Amino acid sequence: MLSNHFENGMDMARLAWSRLPHSEDGELDGVGLLSTSSNRNGVESLDYEVIENYAYREEQAQRGKLFVGYNVAVKWFFALLIGIGTGLAAVFINISVENFAGWKFALTFNIIQKSYLAGFLMYILINLALVFSSVYIITHFAPAAAGSGIPEIKGYLNGIDIPGILLFRTLIGKIFGSIGSVGGGLALGKEGPLVHTGACIASLLGQGGSTKYHLSSRWLQGFKSDRDRRDLVTCGCAAGVAAAFRAPVGGVLFALEEVTSWWRSQLMWRVFFTSAVVAVVVRVAMGWCKSGNCGHFGAGGFIIWDISDGQEDYSFEELLPMAVIGIIGGLLGALFNQLTIYVTRWRRNYLHKKGNRVKIYEACLISVLTSVISFGLPLLRNCSPCPDSDPGSEIECPRAPGADGNYVNFYCGKDKEYNDLATIFFNTQDDAIRNLFSAKTIHEFSAKSLLTFLVMFYTLAVVTFGTAVPAGQFVPGIMIGSTYGRLVGIFTVNHYKKLNIDEGTYALLGAASFLGGSMRMTVSLCVIMVEITNNLKLLPLIMLVLLISKAVGDVFNEGLYDEQARLRGIPLLESRPKYVMRKMTAREACGNQKVLLLPRVVKVADAVSILRSNKHNGFPVVDHTRDGEPLVIGLMLRSHLLVLLQSKIDFQHSPLPSHSRSGSGAIRHNFSEFAKPVSSKGISIDDIYLSSEDLEMYIDLAPFLNPSPYVVPEDMSLTKVYNLFRQLGLRHIFVVPRASRVIGVITRKDLLIEEESEDSATMELQSTSVRGQRHKTRLLEENGADAERPLLNGLLVQNQRYLKGSFVIVFRDNGRNYSWYFVKFFNVTCFDMWTCNEVTLGDVDHTILNWQVTY
């Protein structure tokens, strides 16, 4: 049912558009409302729709072209700041991880020269201390920083606001937690956390910093709406991927393909600019670190594996084993997703319910287990003799203890021997992947060692995923895929007996296949793999294995991030609706619940009672015509109503609309006052104190509601409603009965508006039936015309006249001719709020016109 997709804060009201039956208790019979359960999961929807109330319109009317240019310049400046901030954060994380890991392995190698047992204990203690620091930060300081953060950011960009995911403390927890968990040798990566880090930096810059920790600047507080914050967070996500892989184009495509639900060309430019800035910052930092200023961190610290000197070409016979790699990737990726679902569900339902102490014990236990396996298994492996190296080769066998590279001498009896299992196990993940991708190292790893590593690391990755530490799955996925890819490469070399086949090429294809089978990305992942390997010749092969692995994985389950989002209770609206929605209508989706309505002038006590009795985030507002006929005049958001109750400046003693008492009054709020802070849940009804006198006052909601919400007919298919809801980023849609008449039809050419010279005071609105036509006819030629258009009877009374159901705006042309236009107002009573001279085109709903008469 629709509730599987629209719950957790997405209300859809079934309303009557023009004629609503009377109800004594404030609700209307036969009108349903889809109930929400947003507070059950702690999430609610975001307001990506522009609320065009009078405060917004006044603010827009005061802004000229200079402000528009300034606003665009500020957005580009923020993109620059996001790129610089994310790049510096990535540099700090990588320098810290590389130095901790470098000190750990250097100390361990020095100790094992005297005693392997002492080195083993020191290795366990260092890893345990790093992991403990990470899990302690997460459990006691920033719980929202656990995991990769990509499902939460994907939900945010899909329209779901999850408390705590973009806070300053979440950013700090993500950075330092990633350093501890990755430096502690767990089977996880820092790439997913870097995406979350970039999103946090973007969100904090957009709101001017953190007010809680007194790290804010009013000068930076330029973006108040959820729409602007959404664009900034999108830039941050792309910046995180660009910083993690030094892949700016891949970062842009990752944001487009994986995390965003809404995209436009202007945003593409800023996202690309942000990724380019990240690449420049990272390159500058890498150049500075080459001179030895960063300790153990050097040119190979970031995740980039240059295999441009690898396999030059491939034959037709190799396509079969490469396709096998794609199939294996799809199967193992789907199995990984399913196993993580089972483990995460068990961990959530049984283990983590016991409190933070159990989370700490769990992470520490997994750390000890990982250390024992990575140190102990190589001890059981016999060493191999070093291969004969070419005179010009830079590969050293065995390498010096504690140094980076291939051929690790670990528990070997002779000097010219190496331990192939220790080369990938007793090493940092970056160096292990570099060893697996390395070219011209045929027979460096035995099939037995690779198979042992594959089984053990695969198991550790499944168990580690979901612990209370920041955890990414890019690097573990690359390690798993490159392992079985190299295995297939060994069999291919032995079968075809060709010298030009390189095992490292198959390792790269295996890494791409596992990521495609697990995460189900194609275009962005393909570009990322090309950028991090610097080998464009392998592009067709990467595309092949990605397509195969994704197709195989889709047979069994969805992508990793989609599955994890579902486990976390994040109600994502997927890119396409379910098949069952084709057989449903909007009316059927609304259910039989009654819509909770608000009158235009509501008593404060009634408003408080309504807010306390439910958790709805939007309420239809109803007014009555002079004949007593009820009409829906707009939508009032819960957050906006809470702002009015808290400020109290709009309270009035009279239950009558404010315009009927004092004419058109000025709006005493600016639009930014209604923006919800990104770092908090906003105002709650429990936070507002109202005296007994306040409760007897009234509020006129007309100036503050959204007068033009989106509406759909009740018999529209749910598939079309779903696409409209998701593509526009909506929070509410009104479902109305089938319209009784058509006022006009808008086509493409009606939206191609050209600016005309302002040589006269004539203001023209032209419909599809009269565009470009200026036939001058008499206003009333005969009585038959009056019968067909009864609203024309007696229109001209002092240049303005009130008409039930619509308005006629009269514009004078050179003091002689009159141009008549029928303009349908959403609020039929708003004619009483402005005089004809004060009406502007921005104040009316001028979407539809069907004819024009000029006198």
Side-chain angles (χ1 to χ4, degrees), residues 429-459:
Q429 294 181 10
D430 296 357
D431 291 334
I433 295 173
R434 190 173 293 109
N435 296 337
L436 290 169
F437 281 178
S438 60
K440 301 177 182 179
T441 56
I442 299 178
H443 306 308
E444 176 184 0
F445 304 99
S446 65
K448 183 178 179 181
S449 296
L450 290 176
L451 187 60
T452 301
F453 178 80
L454 174 63
V455 173
M456 298 308 300
F457 192 84
Y458 191 95
T459 304

PDB file of all heavy atoms in Angstrom, residues 429-459:
ATOM      1  N   GLN A 429      44.845  -1.457   4.643  1.00  0.00           N
ATOM      2  CA  GLN A 429      43.984  -1.836   3.524  1.00  0.00           C
ATOM      3  C   GLN A 429      44.423  -1.168   2.229  1.00  0.00           C
ATOM      4  O   GLN A 429      44.367  -1.780   1.156  1.00  0.00           O
ATOM      5  CB  GLN A 429      42.537  -1.477   3.853  1.00  0.00           C
ATOM      6  CG  GLN A 429      41.949  -2.274   5.005  1.00  0.00           C
ATOM      7  CD  GLN A 429      40.497  -1.908   5.274  1.00  0.00           C
ATOM      8  OE1 GLN A 429      39.868  -1.194   4.503  1.00  0.00           O
ATOM      9  NE2 GLN A 429      39.961  -2.420   6.370  1.00  0.00           N
ATOM     10  N   ASP A 430      44.875   0.078   2.307  1.00  0.00           N
ATOM     11  CA  ASP A 430      45.334   0.762   1.103  1.00  0.00           C
ATOM     12  C   ASP A 430      46.526   0.047   0.485  1.00  0.00           C
ATOM     13  O   ASP A 430      46.593  -0.172  -0.739  1.00  0.00           O
ATOM     14  CB  ASP A 430      45.712   2.203   1.438  1.00  0.00           C
ATOM     15  CG  ASP A 430      44.522   3.012   1.901  1.00  0.00           C
ATOM     16  OD1 ASP A 430      43.407   2.463   1.904  1.00  0.00           O
ATOM     17  OD2 ASP A 430      44.705   4.188   2.271  1.00  0.00           O
ATOM     18  N   ASP A 431      47.486  -0.336   1.316  1.00  0.00           N
ATOM     19  CA  ASP A 431      48.662  -1.023   0.798  1.00  0.00           C
ATOM     20  C   ASP A 431      48.316  -2.434   0.326  1.00  0.00           C
ATOM     21  O   ASP A 431      48.898  -2.928  -0.650  1.00  0.00           O
ATOM     22  CB  ASP A 431      49.743  -1.088   1.881  1.00  0.00           C
ATOM     23  CG  ASP A 431      50.328   0.282   2.192  1.00  0.00           C
ATOM     24  OD1 ASP A 431      50.295   1.139   1.297  1.00  0.00           O
ATOM     25  OD2 ASP A 431      50.788   0.497   3.323  1.00  0.00           O
ATOM     26  N   ALA A 432      47.367  -3.083   1.011  1.00  0.00           N
ATOM     27  CA  ALA A 432      46.966  -4.420   0.580  1.00  0.00           C
ATOM     28  C   ALA A 432      46.321  -4.378  -0.796  1.00  0.00           C
ATOM     29  O   ALA A 432      46.583  -5.235  -1.660  1.00  0.00           O
ATOM     30  CB  ALA A 432      46.006  -5.032   1.601  1.00  0.00           C
ATOM     31  N   ILE A 433      45.470  -3.386  -1.024  1.00  0.00           N
ATOM     32  CA  ILE A 433      44.842  -3.263  -2.345  1.00  0.00           C
ATOM     33  C   ILE A 433      45.886  -2.918  -3.388  1.00  0.00           C
ATOM     34  O   ILE A 433      45.846  -3.431  -4.521  1.00  0.00           O
ATOM     35  CB  ILE A 433      43.733  -2.188  -2.295  1.00  0.00           C
ATOM     36  CG1 ILE A 433      42.608  -2.644  -1.370  1.00  0.00           C
ATOM     37  CG2 ILE A 433      43.197  -1.907  -3.689  1.00  0.00           C
ATOM     38  CD1 ILE A 433      41.561  -1.586  -1.126  1.00  0.00           C
ATOM     39  N   ARG A 434      46.824  -2.068  -3.041  1.00  0.00           N
ATOM     40  CA  ARG A 434      47.886  -1.730  -3.976  1.00  0.00           C
ATOM     41  C   ARG A 434      48.692  -2.975  -4.345  1.00  0.00           C
ATOM     42  O   ARG A 434      49.106  -3.143  -5.500  1.00  0.00           O
ATOM     43  CB  ARG A 434      48.782  -0.662  -3.353  1.00  0.00           C
ATOM     44  CG  ARG A 434      49.792  -0.058  -4.319  1.00  0.00           C
ATOM     45  CD  ARG A 434      50.536   1.109  -3.681  1.00  0.00           C
ATOM     46  NE  ARG A 434      49.625   2.227  -3.451  1.00  0.00           N
ATOM     47  CZ  ARG A 434      49.219   2.612  -2.251  1.00  0.00           C
ATOM     48  NH1 ARG A 434      49.613   1.961  -1.182  1.00  0.00           N
ATOM     49  NH2 ARG A 434      48.400   3.639  -2.123  1.00  0.00           N
ATOM     50  N   ASN A 435      48.905  -3.861  -3.384  1.00  0.00           N
ATOM     51  CA  ASN A 435      49.625  -5.107  -3.677  1.00  0.00           C
ATOM     52  C   ASN A 435      48.802  -6.027  -4.572  1.00  0.00           C
ATOM     53  O   ASN A 435      49.339  -6.680  -5.473  1.00  0.00           O
ATOM     54  CB  ASN A 435      49.973  -5.825  -2.375  1.00  0.00           C
ATOM     55  CG  ASN A 435      50.931  -5.020  -1.509  1.00  0.00           C
ATOM     56  OD1 ASN A 435      51.656  -4.156  -2.013  1.00  0.00           O
ATOM     57  ND2 ASN A 435      50.943  -5.294  -0.221  1.00  0.00           N
ATOM     58  N   LEU A 436      47.487  -6.108  -4.323  1.00  0.00           N
ATOM     59  CA  LEU A 436      46.636  -6.953  -5.155  1.00  0.00           C
ATOM     60  C   LEU A 436      46.505  -6.412  -6.571  1.00  0.00           C
ATOM     61  O   LEU A 436      46.373  -7.184  -7.536  1.00  0.00           O
ATOM     62  CB  LEU A 436      45.253  -7.092  -4.515  1.00  0.00           C
ATOM     63  CG  LEU A 436      45.183  -7.910  -3.229  1.00  0.00           C
ATOM     64  CD1 LEU A 436      43.817  -7.748  -2.565  1.00  0.00           C
ATOM     65  CD2 LEU A 436      45.453  -9.388  -3.522  1.00  0.00           C
ATOM     66  N   PHE A 437      46.496  -5.084  -6.734  1.00  0.00           N
ATOM     67  CA  PHE A 437      46.398  -4.475  -8.055  1.00  0.00           C
ATOM     68  C   PHE A 437      47.741  -4.438  -8.791  1.00  0.00           C
ATOM     69  O   PHE A 437      47.768  -4.110  -9.977  1.00  0.00           O
ATOM     70  CB  PHE A 437      45.893  -3.040  -7.929  1.00  0.00           C
ATOM     71  CG  PHE A 437      44.405  -2.940  -7.721  1.00  0.00           C
ATOM     72  CD1 PHE A 437      43.803  -1.707  -7.558  1.00  0.00           C
ATOM     73  CD2 PHE A 437      43.604  -4.068  -7.682  1.00  0.00           C
ATOM     74  CE1 PHE A 437      42.431  -1.602  -7.362  1.00  0.00           C
ATOM     75  CE2 PHE A 437      42.242  -3.979  -7.487  1.00  0.00           C
ATOM     76  CZ  PHE A 437      41.654  -2.737  -7.328  1.00  0.00           C
ATOM     77  N   SER A 438      48.823  -4.713  -8.101  1.00  0.00           N
ATOM     78  CA  SER A 438      50.150  -4.495  -8.666  1.00  0.00           C
ATOM     79  C   SER A 438      50.336  -5.314  -9.941  1.00  0.00           C
ATOM     80  O   SER A 438      49.900  -6.469 -10.052  1.00  0.00           O
ATOM     81  CB  SER A 438      51.229  -4.865  -7.646  1.00  0.00           C
ATOM     82  OG  SER A 438      51.108  -6.237  -7.268  1.00  0.00           O
ATOM     83  N   ALA A 439      50.972  -4.692 -10.916  1.00  0.00           N
ATOM     84  CA  ALA A 439      51.232  -5.335 -12.196  1.00  0.00           C
ATOM     85  C   ALA A 439      52.610  -5.991 -12.182  1.00  0.00           C
ATOM     86  O   ALA A 439      53.483  -5.646 -11.384  1.00  0.00           O
ATOM     87  CB  ALA A 439      51.145  -4.306 -13.322  1.00  0.00           C
ATOM     88  N   LYS A 440      52.772  -6.948 -13.089  1.00  0.00           N
ATOM     89  CA  LYS A 440      54.049  -7.635 -13.276  1.00  0.00           C
ATOM     90  C   LYS A 440      54.511  -8.327 -11.995  1.00  0.00           C
ATOM     91  O   LYS A 440      55.709  -8.347 -11.678  1.00  0.00           O
ATOM     92  CB  LYS A 440      55.120  -6.643 -13.764  1.00  0.00           C
ATOM     93  CG  LYS A 440      54.755  -5.955 -15.076  1.00  0.00           C
ATOM     94  CD  LYS A 440      55.779  -4.937 -15.477  1.00  0.00           C
ATOM     95  CE  LYS A 440      55.363  -4.230 -16.775  1.00  0.00           C
ATOM     96  NZ  LYS A 440      56.341  -3.190 -17.196  1.00  0.00           N
ATOM     97  N   THR A 441      53.539  -8.830 -11.236  1.00  0.00           N
ATOM     98  CA  THR A 441      53.857  -9.603 -10.021  1.00  0.00           C
ATOM     99  C   THR A 441      53.137 -10.956 -10.097  1.00  0.00           C
ATOM    100  O   THR A 441      52.415 -11.345  -9.186  1.00  0.00           O
ATOM    101  CB  THR A 441      53.438  -8.843  -8.755  1.00  0.00           C
ATOM    102  OG1 THR A 441      52.039  -8.525  -8.856  1.00  0.00           O
ATOM    103  CG2 THR A 441      54.247  -7.597  -8.570  1.00  0.00           C
ATOM    104  N   ILE A 442      53.306 -11.639 -11.214  1.00  0.00           N
ATOM    105  CA  ILE A 442      52.651 -12.927 -11.425  1.00  0.00           C
ATOM    106  C   ILE A 442      53.166 -13.934 -10.413  1.00  0.00           C
ATOM    107  O   ILE A 442      54.362 -13.994 -10.123  1.00  0.00           O
ATOM    108  CB  ILE A 442      52.872 -13.413 -12.865  1.00  0.00           C
ATOM    109  CG1 ILE A 442      52.268 -12.422 -13.861  1.00  0.00           C
ATOM    110  CG2 ILE A 442      52.262 -14.794 -13.084  1.00  0.00           C
ATOM    111  CD1 ILE A 442      52.468 -12.798 -15.309  1.00  0.00           C
ATOM    112  N   HIS A 443      52.270 -14.716  -9.874  1.00  0.00           N
ATOM    113  CA  HIS A 443      52.575 -15.771  -8.904  1.00  0.00           C
ATOM    114  C   HIS A 443      53.054 -15.231  -7.566  1.00  0.00           C
ATOM    115  O   HIS A 443      53.638 -15.981  -6.780  1.00  0.00           O
ATOM    116  CB  HIS A 443      53.622 -16.751  -9.464  1.00  0.00           C
ATOM    117  CG  HIS A 443      53.257 -17.343 -10.783  1.00  0.00           C
ATOM    118  ND1 HIS A 443      52.043 -17.968 -11.013  1.00  0.00           N
ATOM    119  CD2 HIS A 443      53.945 -17.402 -11.962  1.00  0.00           C
ATOM    120  CE1 HIS A 443      51.993 -18.387 -12.268  1.00  0.00           C
ATOM    121  NE2 HIS A 443      53.132 -18.058 -12.878  1.00  0.00           N
ATOM    122  N   GLU A 444      52.814 -13.927  -7.298  1.00  0.00           N
ATOM    123  CA  GLU A 444      53.174 -13.415  -5.971  1.00  0.00           C
ATOM    124  C   GLU A 444      52.288 -14.034  -4.897  1.00  0.00           C
ATOM    125  O   GLU A 444      52.755 -14.364  -3.797  1.00  0.00           O
ATOM    126  CB  GLU A 444      53.049 -11.890  -5.934  1.00  0.00           C
ATOM    127  CG  GLU A 444      53.326 -11.300  -4.553  1.00  0.00           C
ATOM    128  CD  GLU A 444      53.106  -9.801  -4.487  1.00  0.00           C
ATOM    129  OE1 GLU A 444      52.733  -9.205  -5.524  1.00  0.00           O
ATOM    130  OE2 GLU A 444      53.299  -9.223  -3.400  1.00  0.00           O
ATOM    131  N   PHE A 445      50.997 -14.200  -5.214  1.00  0.00           N
ATOM    132  CA  PHE A 445      50.054 -14.763  -4.254  1.00  0.00           C
ATOM    133  C   PHE A 445      49.617 -16.142  -4.748  1.00  0.00           C
ATOM    134  O   PHE A 445      49.280 -16.325  -5.924  1.00  0.00           O
ATOM    135  CB  PHE A 445      48.820 -13.864  -4.097  1.00  0.00           C
ATOM    136  CG  PHE A 445      49.155 -12.456  -3.700  1.00  0.00           C
ATOM    137  CD1 PHE A 445      49.209 -11.445  -4.642  1.00  0.00           C
ATOM    138  CD2 PHE A 445      49.416 -12.134  -2.376  1.00  0.00           C
ATOM    139  CE1 PHE A 445      49.516 -10.144  -4.287  1.00  0.00           C
ATOM    140  CE2 PHE A 445      49.717 -10.839  -2.008  1.00  0.00           C
ATOM    141  CZ  PHE A 445      49.775  -9.840  -2.959  1.00  0.00           C
ATOM    142  N   SER A 446      49.586 -17.076  -3.838  1.00  0.00           N
ATOM    143  CA  SER A 446      49.103 -18.406  -4.175  1.00  0.00           C
ATOM    144  C   SER A 446      47.586 -18.440  -4.081  1.00  0.00           C
ATOM    145  O   SER A 446      46.955 -17.618  -3.379  1.00  0.00           O
ATOM    146  CB  SER A 446      49.704 -19.448  -3.233  1.00  0.00           C
ATOM    147  OG  SER A 446      49.254 -19.240  -1.903  1.00  0.00           O
ATOM    148  N   ALA A 447      46.984 -19.383  -4.787  1.00  0.00           N
ATOM    149  CA  ALA A 447      45.525 -19.504  -4.763  1.00  0.00           C
ATOM    150  C   ALA A 447      45.037 -19.850  -3.364  1.00  0.00           C
ATOM    151  O   ALA A 447      43.966 -19.393  -2.938  1.00  0.00           O
ATOM    152  CB  ALA A 447      45.080 -20.566  -5.777  1.00  0.00           C
ATOM    153  N   LYS A 448      45.797 -20.638  -2.646  1.00  0.00           N
ATOM    154  CA  LYS A 448      45.395 -21.016  -1.286  1.00  0.00           C
ATOM    155  C   LYS A 448      45.358 -19.810  -0.357  1.00  0.00           C
ATOM    156  O   LYS A 448      44.419 -19.640   0.431  1.00  0.00           O
ATOM    157  CB  LYS A 448      46.367 -22.069  -0.749  1.00  0.00           C
ATOM    158  CG  LYS A 448      46.012 -22.601   0.621  1.00  0.00           C
ATOM    159  CD  LYS A 448      46.992 -23.677   1.062  1.00  0.00           C
ATOM    160  CE  LYS A 448      46.641 -24.192   2.458  1.00  0.00           C
ATOM    161  NZ  LYS A 448      47.614 -25.241   2.907  1.00  0.00           N
ATOM    162  N   SER A 449      46.363 -18.948  -0.456  1.00  0.00           N
ATOM    163  CA  SER A 449      46.394 -17.748   0.386  1.00  0.00           C
ATOM    164  C   SER A 449      45.257 -16.796   0.031  1.00  0.00           C
ATOM    165  O   SER A 449      44.617 -16.213   0.910  1.00  0.00           O
ATOM    166  CB  SER A 449      47.740 -17.044   0.244  1.00  0.00           C
ATOM    167  OG  SER A 449      48.786 -17.858   0.720  1.00  0.00           O
ATOM    168  N   LEU A 450      45.007 -16.621  -1.254  1.00  0.00           N
ATOM    169  CA  LEU A 450      43.926 -15.722  -1.669  1.00  0.00           C
ATOM    170  C   LEU A 450      42.578 -16.253  -1.210  1.00  0.00           C
ATOM    171  O   LEU A 450      41.722 -15.474  -0.760  1.00  0.00           O
ATOM    172  CB  LEU A 450      43.945 -15.560  -3.187  1.00  0.00           C
ATOM    173  CG  LEU A 450      45.125 -14.772  -3.780  1.00  0.00           C
ATOM    174  CD1 LEU A 450      45.062 -14.787  -5.299  1.00  0.00           C
ATOM    175  CD2 LEU A 450      45.145 -13.336  -3.265  1.00  0.00           C
ATOM    176  N   LEU A 451      42.367 -17.550  -1.324  1.00  0.00           N
ATOM    177  CA  LEU A 451      41.095 -18.117  -0.900  1.00  0.00           C
ATOM    178  C   LEU A 451      40.920 -17.998   0.619  1.00  0.00           C
ATOM    179  O   LEU A 451      39.817 -17.687   1.102  1.00  0.00           O
ATOM    180  CB  LEU A 451      41.008 -19.577  -1.325  1.00  0.00           C
ATOM    181  CG  LEU A 451      39.669 -20.280  -1.093  1.00  0.00           C
ATOM    182  CD1 LEU A 451      38.556 -19.571  -1.867  1.00  0.00           C
ATOM    183  CD2 LEU A 451      39.755 -21.747  -1.498  1.00  0.00           C
ATOM    184  N   THR A 452      41.989 -18.202   1.359  1.00  0.00           N
ATOM    185  CA  THR A 452      41.922 -18.041   2.813  1.00  0.00           C
ATOM    186  C   THR A 452      41.592 -16.602   3.187  1.00  0.00           C
ATOM    187  O   THR A 452      40.728 -16.345   4.045  1.00  0.00           O
ATOM    188  CB  THR A 452      43.261 -18.440   3.448  1.00  0.00           C
ATOM    189  OG1 THR A 452      43.561 -19.799   3.108  1.00  0.00           O
ATOM    190  CG2 THR A 452      43.202 -18.301   4.958  1.00  0.00           C
ATOM    191  N   PHE A 453      42.270 -15.671   2.551  1.00  0.00           N
ATOM    192  CA  PHE A 453      41.999 -14.263   2.839  1.00  0.00           C
ATOM    193  C   PHE A 453      40.575 -13.888   2.465  1.00  0.00           C
ATOM    194  O   PHE A 453      39.912 -13.132   3.190  1.00  0.00           O
ATOM    195  CB  PHE A 453      42.990 -13.381   2.077  1.00  0.00           C
ATOM    196  CG  PHE A 453      42.757 -11.910   2.268  1.00  0.00           C
ATOM    197  CD1 PHE A 453      43.192 -11.256   3.404  1.00  0.00           C
ATOM    198  CD2 PHE A 453      42.085 -11.173   1.298  1.00  0.00           C
ATOM    199  CE1 PHE A 453      42.970  -9.905   3.584  1.00  0.00           C
ATOM    200  CE2 PHE A 453      41.855  -9.826   1.464  1.00  0.00           C
ATOM    201  CZ  PHE A 453      42.300  -9.180   2.611  1.00  0.00           C
ATOM    202  N   LEU A 454      40.073 -14.388   1.330  1.00  0.00           N
ATOM    203  CA  LEU A 454      38.727 -14.058   0.873  1.00  0.00           C
ATOM    204  C   LEU A 454      37.685 -14.502   1.889  1.00  0.00           C
ATOM    205  O   LEU A 454      36.785 -13.733   2.260  1.00  0.00           O
ATOM    206  CB  LEU A 454      38.468 -14.704  -0.483  1.00  0.00           C
ATOM    207  CG  LEU A 454      37.045 -14.577  -1.052  1.00  0.00           C
ATOM    208  CD1 LEU A 454      36.705 -13.109  -1.291  1.00  0.00           C
ATOM    209  CD2 LEU A 454      36.909 -15.376  -2.340  1.00  0.00           C
ATOM    210  N   VAL A 455      37.789 -15.731   2.354  1.00  0.00           N
ATOM    211  CA  VAL A 455      36.798 -16.259   3.292  1.00  0.00           C
ATOM    212  C   VAL A 455      36.847 -15.498   4.608  1.00  0.00           C
ATOM    213  O   VAL A 455      35.805 -15.083   5.153  1.00  0.00           O
ATOM    214  CB  VAL A 455      37.025 -17.762   3.514  1.00  0.00           C
ATOM    215  CG1 VAL A 455      36.107 -18.284   4.611  1.00  0.00           C
ATOM    216  CG2 VAL A 455      36.807 -18.532   2.222  1.00  0.00           C
ATOM    217  N   MET A 456      38.031 -15.280   5.141  1.00  0.00           N
ATOM    218  CA  MET A 456      38.154 -14.647   6.450  1.00  0.00           C
ATOM    219  C   MET A 456      37.780 -13.165   6.396  1.00  0.00           C
ATOM    220  O   MET A 456      37.047 -12.662   7.259  1.00  0.00           O
ATOM    221  CB  MET A 456      39.574 -14.811   6.977  1.00  0.00           C
ATOM    222  CG  MET A 456      40.000 -16.263   7.189  1.00  0.00           C
ATOM    223  SD  MET A 456      38.835 -17.211   8.190  1.00  0.00           S
ATOM    224  CE  MET A 456      38.857 -16.276   9.710  1.00  0.00           C
ATOM    225  N   PHE A 457      38.272 -12.449   5.388  1.00  0.00           N
ATOM    226  CA  PHE A 457      37.973 -11.018   5.332  1.00  0.00           C
ATOM    227  C   PHE A 457      36.504 -10.780   5.000  1.00  0.00           C
ATOM    228  O   PHE A 457      35.899  -9.830   5.498  1.00  0.00           O
ATOM    229  CB  PHE A 457      38.869 -10.332   4.302  1.00  0.00           C
ATOM    230  CG  PHE A 457      38.831  -8.839   4.385  1.00  0.00           C
ATOM    231  CD1 PHE A 457      39.626  -8.156   5.288  1.00  0.00           C
ATOM    232  CD2 PHE A 457      37.987  -8.099   3.564  1.00  0.00           C
ATOM    233  CE1 PHE A 457      39.582  -6.774   5.382  1.00  0.00           C
ATOM    234  CE2 PHE A 457      37.943  -6.726   3.647  1.00  0.00           C
ATOM    235  CZ  PHE A 457      38.743  -6.053   4.555  1.00  0.00           C
ATOM    236  N   TYR A 458      35.931 -11.619   4.158  1.00  0.00           N
ATOM    237  CA  TYR A 458      34.499 -11.514   3.848  1.00  0.00           C
ATOM    238  C   TYR A 458      33.674 -11.670   5.124  1.00  0.00           C
ATOM    239  O   TYR A 458      32.732 -10.902   5.376  1.00  0.00           O
ATOM    240  CB  TYR A 458      34.127 -12.584   2.826  1.00  0.00           C
ATOM    241  CG  TYR A 458      32.748 -12.434   2.216  1.00  0.00           C
ATOM    242  CD1 TYR A 458      32.576 -11.780   1.006  1.00  0.00           C
ATOM    243  CD2 TYR A 458      31.622 -12.957   2.841  1.00  0.00           C
ATOM    244  CE1 TYR A 458      31.317 -11.649   0.427  1.00  0.00           C
ATOM    245  CE2 TYR A 458      30.365 -12.835   2.281  1.00  0.00           C
ATOM    246  CZ  TYR A 458      30.217 -12.172   1.079  1.00  0.00           C
ATOM    247  OH  TYR A 458      28.973 -12.042   0.526  1.00  0.00           O
ATOM    248  N   THR A 459      34.035 -12.642   5.943  1.00  0.00           N
ATOM    249  CA  THR A 459      33.316 -12.862   7.201  1.00  0.00           C
ATOM    250  C   THR A 459      33.497 -11.684   8.148  1.00  0.00           C
ATOM    251  O   THR A 459      32.538 -11.220   8.781  1.00  0.00           O
ATOM    252  CB  THR A 459      33.809 -14.151   7.863  1.00  0.00           C
ATOM    253  OG1 THR A 459      33.663 -15.237   6.953  1.00  0.00           O
ATOM    254  CG2 THR A 459      33.011 -14.440   9.133  1.00  0.00           C
TER     255      THR A 459
END
